[in-house]
Amino acid sequence: MTTASFPPGFLWGASTSAHQVEGNNVGSDFWQAENDGSWGLADRSGDACDSFHRWPEDLDLVRDLGLNAYRFSIEWARVVPAPGRPSPATLAHYRRIIEGCGERGLTPVVTLHHFTNPAWLTAEGGWTSKDAIAHFTEYVRAVLPVLDGVPWVCTINEPNMVAFMAASRKRGGGAPAAYLGPPDAEVTAALTRAHAAARDLLAAVPGLRSGWTVANQNVQDHGAGPDRTAEISYLIDDQYLDVAKGDDFVGVQAYSRLRAGERGPLLPGPDDRRTMTGWEYYPQALEDAVRHTDARLGGSTPLLVTENGIATGDDGERVAYTREAVAGLRRAMADGIDVRGYLHWSLLDNYEWGSWEPTFGLVAVDRTTFRRTVKPSARWFGRLARDPEATLATEAEVDPEATVDPEAKVDPEATVDAGTALDPDAGAGA
Ligand code: BGC
């Protein structure tokens, strides 16, 4: 049952990305850097969660939890293993996943670029290579037929993070950190052009909505003053939100906040409650990000929460964080902000860009057998999807000691709006 705050057809789902779950993404630049040590990453992705083979099991889990949407990404390095030579077999693989979503009543939300580039592109200079946009366009053109019936497509995941990471690598650092300094302007310009080119091609697919997702940093004035705060916010968030004006939707991704102090960013210290990634525990981030995004876009663009979650080994904390985040989302929606869905990051404990340590998953994965184990938070999230009002009104009853649930199966009766899977109007808030 849903209420006016969460309209019928609202998407409740979980997100993943290819490199973080598929395993053996050997043609990508990330794989290369993991294995040659050039970016100083602690861990390798290896087999990851073996979702390249186990995707049917993953989709079954999403359905059985009672969710109605699944976000995943298509891997450019697999689709175009060599420039100009797309792989029909790989395209057929991703088509099977999209159809697998439809068969299970899940709305697919597909991302075309989630951090990784083909290693051959990186060797050419990456996003700043003179042919980067032509290569990306060629990739998107190859993927178009596979996207038939897909209602939501994210062109580029977190262009601001991609530009941060590019800048950080130029300075010799590799792995993403809480605050990476100014994003690379040249890469930002290239990503903006790539997004526009993809959007034009995707417009030809009937019923498909396209947009990009922004990692909302939630810049707050903690001594910097309003002008400096606005400047920082423009640099790391708002210039990317401005690009989304006129898009079919914008993806909101929020985890924490950035406190702008008098002498620079105030990074979370020992006195702050922190998560496994070292970020400040700040569930209010989602409501802040949704309100900020909507205000920046002048209320003109529908929002989809494409990521929100917490890295924690305490599953009760995951429930508490998510409950508070979703309650904030509900408040923003009750004020009239048009949000079409909430996709939790992440379905699985996956490869966190250089480390296996932070666990964001609703479902644990054994790193040797790849057995999936549903956590109590996943079961709670399924209840939230089925009855948000009642679930938000009730204090979560999750045993913090019971971090994983040995019963892999959840409620098989539980499905939400199963008929809406490939319906482009599913989730329409208005
Ligand atoms: C990314 C995910 C990542 C998550 C947690 C987002 O920046 O899109 O790939 O795992 O945050 O760090």
Side-chain angles (χ1 to χ4, degrees):
M1 192 195 85
T2 50
T3 73
S5 306
F6 294 102
F10 189 79
L11 299 181
W12 290 102
S15 295
T16 60
S17 89
H19 189 76
Q20 295 178 271
V21 300
E22 285 182 342
N24 298 296
N25 184 19
V26 299
S28 74
D29 57 351
F30 228 90
W31 177 276
Q32 197 172 58
E34 286 159 27
N35 290 285
D36 68 17
S38 52
W39 294 348
L41 306 168
D43 296 335
R44 299 170 192 213
S45 55
D47 285 330
C49 303
D50 194 28
S51 291
F52 193 81
H53 302 108
R54 290 168 201 261
W55 63 265
E57 199 184 325
D58 293 341
L59 296 189
D60 286 352
L61 278 169
V62 178
R63 177 202 54 204
D64 291 348
L65 285 170
L67 308 180
N68 64 5
Y70 180 57
R71 174 175 176 233
F72 66 97
S73 72
I74 293 181
E75 183 58 43
W76 183 3
R78 289 191 198 270
V79 170
V80 191
R85 302 196 184 282
S87 156
T90 305
L91 289 165
H93 165 84
Y94 287 114
R95 183 64 201 167
R96 283 195 293 276
I97 302 182
I98 288 163
E99 285 175 3
C101 287
E103 285 155 14
R104 292 164 179 84
L106 302 174
T107 296
V109 179
V110 176
T111 305
L112 300 181
H113 182 276
H114 197 122
F115 289 176
T116 46
N117 283 343
W120 54 257
L121 177 65
T122 302
E124 275 182 23
W127 281 111
T128 51
S129 129
K130 67 175 179 22
D131 297 324
I133 311 303
H135 286 312
F136 187 67
T137 307
E138 177 203 50
Y139 159 59
V140 176
R141 207 171 267 127
V143 171
L144 278 187
V146 168
L147 298 176
D148 185 33
V150 174
W152 302 95
V153 173
C154 309
T155 56
I156 296 170
N157 180 68
E158 297 187 345
N160 48 345
M161 284 301 293
V162 176
F164 277 141
M165 287 190 275
S168 155
R169 278 172 205 145
K170 267 192 196 164
R171 292 192 305 266
Y179 177 71
L180 296 162
D184 187 285
E186 241 187 297
V187 169
T188 297
L191 294 170
T192 304
R193 286 203 305 278
H195 170 64
R199 193 184 47 200
D200 290 350
L201 288 173
L202 293 164
V205 182
L208 183 153
R209 298 167 200 258
S210 73
W212 72 3
T213 74
V214 177
N216 289 259
Q217 305 296 307
N218 288 319
V219 185
Q220 298 180 359
D221 185 358
H222 281 248
D227 292 349
R228 181 68 189 134
T229 303
E231 251 172 62
I232 299 172
S233 188
Y234 178 78
L235 196 63
I236 68 182
D237 279 345
D238 297 346
Q239 60 168 324
Y240 301 90
L241 293 175
D242 291 351
V243 171
K245 277 186 189 145
D247 283 358
D248 301 325
F249 76 96
V250 60
V252 177
Q253 313 204 153
Y255 293 89
S256 189
R257 66 173 167 179
L258 179 70
R259 292 169 293 184
E262 213 179 337
R263 283 190 297 269
L266 303 173
L267 298 180
D271 294 340
D272 293 304
R273 179 170 172 191
R274 286 178 292 173
T275 70
M276 280 173 115
T277 41
W279 305 341
E280 186 193 0
Y281 178 92
Y282 187 67
Q284 179 62 31
L286 183 59
E287 182 180 0
D288 292 353
V290 162
R291 290 189 188 276
H292 179 81
T293 303
D294 189 62
R296 186 79 199 179
L297 294 178
S300 62
T301 309
L303 274 49
L304 181 62
V305 177
T306 36
E307 286 183 28
N308 170 251
I310 176 173
T312 176
D314 173 348
D315 205 44
E317 188 179 41
R318 187 181 333 280
V319 173
Y321 176 96
T322 308
R323 183 166 177 272
E324 213 178 315
V326 173
L329 173 65
R330 183 186 175 285
R331 280 193 296 274
M333 290 174 68
D335 285 346
I337 298 183
D338 181 7
V339 184
R340 306 298 175 92
Y342 172 91
L343 310 177
H344 190 80
W345 185 270
S346 180
L347 178 66
L348 305 173
D349 283 343
N350 58 35
Y351 179 67
E352 179 54 24
W353 304 113
S355 172
W356 278 102
E357 233 163 77
T359 43
F360 276 95
L362 297 165
V363 174
V365 181
D366 183 292
R367 298 287 329 289
T368 313
T369 63
F370 306 103
R371 179 167 184 263
R372 274 73 170 136
T373 306
V374 172
K375 301 182 191 178
S377 56
R379 204 187 292 272
W380 173 86
F381 185 53
R383 282 205 298 278
L384 178 73
R386 276 171 277 145
D387 195 348
E389 294 304 320
T391 310
L392 288 177
T394 318
E395 273 303 321
E397 292 147 26
V398 172
D399 177 2
E401 300 296 306
T403 47
V404 288
D405 186 337
E407 292 297 313
K409 275 290 159 195
V410 278
D411 182 0
E413 305 286 295
T415 42
V416 183
D417 294 328
T420 60
L422 292 176
D423 173 1
D425 288 322

